[in-house]
Structures are given as structure tokens and as C-alpha cells.
């Protein structure tokens, strides 16, 4: 409820070949995209990101989505550079 009040969603990062870090989520505004998430991780990643693999809001887990894909609360995202 607190996240809704603040207008943010939680996004969990995943490194290739490793499990997702479900302890420390990144927060982005509701309606945020893969690019918004990449910018939160590191400013250089926003320019380098081509796509992402998403677990949660994608049609199937691990689906590759475009960088304009709108993320949902508790999505797990692996950036594709």
C-alpha cells in the first residue's frame, strides 16, 4: 500500500546466469519502462540497453521485450546490452 501511495513500483534486478536479487529492489515510477529501470541501475546502461528479459508482466517468464516495455510491480528484469 505504501508503494501505491508513493506512486512507485518495485523492480528486481537479475544478472545473466544468476538468480534474481529479491532483497533490494529498485523503485521506478508507476508506468516506468525498461529504459527507466536501466537508468536507475546505472546512467550508462540507459544508452546501452537494447532489450530486456522480464519475469512477471511478460506473456511468459524470461520473455525478451523491447526497451519501451512498461514494467509492473515486482517484475524481475535482466537487461540485454
Amino acid at each position: 500500500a505504501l508503494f501505491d501511495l508513493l506512486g512507485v513500483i518495485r523492480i528486481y534486478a537479475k544478472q545473466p546466469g544468476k538468480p534474481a536479487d529479491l532483497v533490494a529492489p529498485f523503485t521506478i515510477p508507476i508506468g516506468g519502462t525498461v529504459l527507466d529501470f536501466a537508468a536507475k541501475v546505472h546512467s550508462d546502461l540507459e544508452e546501452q540497453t537494447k532489450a530486456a528479459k522480464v519475469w512477471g508482466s511478460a506473456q511468459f517468464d524470461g520473455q525478451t521485450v523491447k526497451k519501451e516495455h512498461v514494467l509492473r510491480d515486482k517484475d524481475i528484469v535482466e537487461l540485454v546490452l
Side-chain angles (χ1 to χ4, degrees):
L2 181 60
F3 291 102
D4 286 336
L5 243 168
L6 294 172
V8 295
I9 56 174
R10 295 162 286 189
I11 304 297
Y12 297 99
K14 180 183 179 314
Q15 293 181 1
K18 296 183 180 179
D21 177 11
L22 301 176
V23 178
F26 290 87
T27 57
I28 61 172
I30 293 173
T33 64
V34 169
L35 279 180
D36 296 326
F37 169 69
K40 276 284 190 173
V41 174
H42 194 280
S43 58
D44 291 342
L45 290 180
E46 185 176 13
E47 297 171 4
Q48 297 174 8
T49 299
K50 296 178 184 173
K53 291 183 181 182
V54 176
W55 288 259
S57 67
Q59 274 188 320
F60 56 89
D61 284 344
Q63 180 178 3
T64 300
V65 297
K66 294 181 179 183
K67 56 187 173 183
E68 297 85 15
H69 177 78
V70 176
L71 299 170
R72 294 190 193 145
D73 192 33
K74 298 183 183 176
D75 276 353
I76 297 171
V77 178
E78 178 183 311
L79 297 174
V80 177
L81 307 177

